[in-house]
Amino acid sequence: MKHLLYFFFLLLLAGCSSTDRPEIPAVTQFDIHRYAGTWYEIARLPNFFEKGLQNVSAEYTLLPDGMIRVVNRGVKNGKEKSISGFARFAGSANTGELEVSFFRPFYSPYRIIRLDPEYTVACVMGKNTSFAWILARTPELPPEKLVEAVNFLRKNGFAVEKLIYPAQEKK
């Protein structure tokens, strides 16, 4: 029984030392009106819900009640896929920290950790450093902007060597 308690305690400690990175702050002086619109996925860390998706984009629309409609689109095996959900601010409306739900009442963290002043390139993370995206207003990024975003993620502990760069149709 004593060994079972030690095992349980070690399991509990292992859970506490996850890759959660709350010290990576969300951007401040955030303006949801400027962020709204279409963003193209330039790169992402692998995740099960986007496996095999190409031509990935997300559209954010501010609703009158303060909620944000989120529509994610992509193409898998030649077929267009989409999912709609909602986002809300996790705290202050001037901080880029949201909670997103595609299956209410369950919400997931969505933290904008880098955003250029022109609102054209963003780095976003989920609940920990296993979830990251580089987004842009255009389907392609100039190489120097992509390098800046990748270096930012690397500096903050993300496994950038695992990034997936989905194909994007040129618009």
Side-chain angles (χ1 to χ4, degrees):
M1 180 66 153
K2 189 175 182 179
H3 293 294
L4 187 60
L5 285 174
Y6 283 128
F7 177 75
F8 178 77
F9 181 72
L10 288 174
L11 209 59
L12 184 64
L13 282 178
C16 292
S17 62
S18 73
T19 56
D20 238 355
R21 294 290 303 260
E23 69 271 13
I24 304 172
V27 297
T28 56
Q29 299 179 356
F30 178 72
D31 182 350
I32 188 60
H33 297 282
R34 291 185 68 198
Y35 194 78
T38 301
W39 288 88
Y40 296 91
E41 185 179 275
I42 303 301
R44 69 174 177 260
L45 285 179
N47 59 64
F48 71 93
F49 48 89
E50 287 184 286
K51 188 172 183 164
L53 280 178
Q54 303 294 322
N55 301 312
V56 182
S57 66
E59 186 175 346
Y60 302 91
T61 306
L62 185 60
L63 301 174
D65 65 358
M67 292 290 283
I68 302 151
R69 175 177 284 296
V70 181
V71 180
N72 288 349
R73 292 182 177 88
V75 175
K76 183 174 184 176
N77 298 326
K79 294 183 180 179
E80 197 166 307
K81 306 281 185 184
S82 70
I83 187 167
S84 296
F86 294 93
R88 63 186 182 198
F89 284 97
S92 168
N94 69 352
T95 301
E97 185 140 22
L98 306 171
E99 297 172 320
V100 179
S101 176
F102 292 101
F103 307 101
R104 284 188 179 181
F106 306 103
Y107 283 83
S108 297
Y110 179 99
R111 184 181 300 163
I112 303 159
I113 55 176
R114 182 175 187 271
L115 182 61
D116 70 327
E118 294 81 29
Y119 282 63
T120 59
V121 182
C123 291
V124 176
M125 71 180 288
K127 67 178 180 174
N128 58 43
T129 57
S130 297
F131 297 94
W133 295 265
I134 297 173
L135 307 176
R137 292 295 190 174
T138 57
E140 287 186 354
L141 267 182
E144 65 276 3
K145 292 214 179 248
L146 179 58
V147 167
E148 287 174 15
V150 170
N151 285 340
F152 174 85
L153 292 176
R154 178 183 294 112
K155 183 180 92 172
N156 283 285
F158 293 88
V160 297
E161 67 279 358
K162 294 180 181 177
L163 283 171
I164 295 170
Y165 299 87
Q168 286 287 357
E169 285 184 16
K170 292 179 176 54
K171 304 274 178 185

